Amino acid sequence: QVRLVESGGGSVQVGGSLELACAASQYILENCRMGWFRQAPGKGREMVSHVSKTGATNYADSVKGRFTISRDNDKNSLHLQMNSLKTEDTAVYYCAACPTVTLSTWTYWGQGTQVTVYS
């Protein structure tokens, strides 16, 4: 069964750090691009970062230099290290995997984890 399970969300003060983790099946780690998305209250879902199965990364401009995505194929997990957090980073963060070639549709999604950044 293909599943994505996020963990690591929580509340942190502005300027703080959090690390999100996404447990995934071996099939996904071996075969798929994986990514992180977020959805803030009243807004649409947006791409935060994604990483190919060979390790090539991509970041939204709003998080470049602050967030780092990584995948641990030995532990079947995807990670998002978030530093210098801002109030605008507050959102539900979702792990996703196995997109189409155009990255417009992602096949698998986690249930989401809440990140709240307060001042």
Side-chain angles (χ1 to χ4, degrees):
Q1 182 179 3
V2 177
R3 291 182 61 195
L4 299 174
V5 181
E6 302 99 334
S7 62
S11 296
V12 64
Q13 201 165 14
V14 167
S17 298
L18 280 175
E19 182 177 5
L20 305 182
C22 174
S25 65
Q26 186 174 3
Y27 168 82
I28 287 179
L29 268 293
E30 291 180 348
N31 293 282
C32 294
R33 180 179 297 271
M34 299 183 72
W36 291 97
F37 289 73
R38 68 186 180 186
Q39 186 165 18
K43 296 187 177 181
R45 189 173 295 183
E46 65 171 348
M47 188 278 293
V48 175
S49 180
H50 54 83
V51 57
S52 71
K53 60 182 180 180
T54 58
T57 59
N58 186 281
Y59 296 92
D61 288 342
S62 58
V63 306
K64 279 181 182 176
R66 300 188 298 121
F67 290 11
T68 302
I69 192 171
S70 62
R71 54 196 299 161
D72 187 335
N73 290 352
D74 291 335
K75 295 183 178 180
N76 290 355
S77 60
L78 178 72
H79 298 264
L80 186 69
Q81 177 66 42
M82 305 185 293
N83 299 327
S84 303
L85 284 161
K86 306 176 181 180
T87 55
E88 51 263 45
D89 295 318
T90 295
V92 177
Y93 283 71
Y94 297 90
C95 176
C98 306
T100 56
V101 172
T102 60
L103 305 183
S104 60
T105 303
W106 292 67
T107 304
Y108 303 109
W109 291 87
Q111 81 286 354
T113 186
Q114 177 69 46
V115 171
T116 302
V117 185
Y118 59 91
S119 58

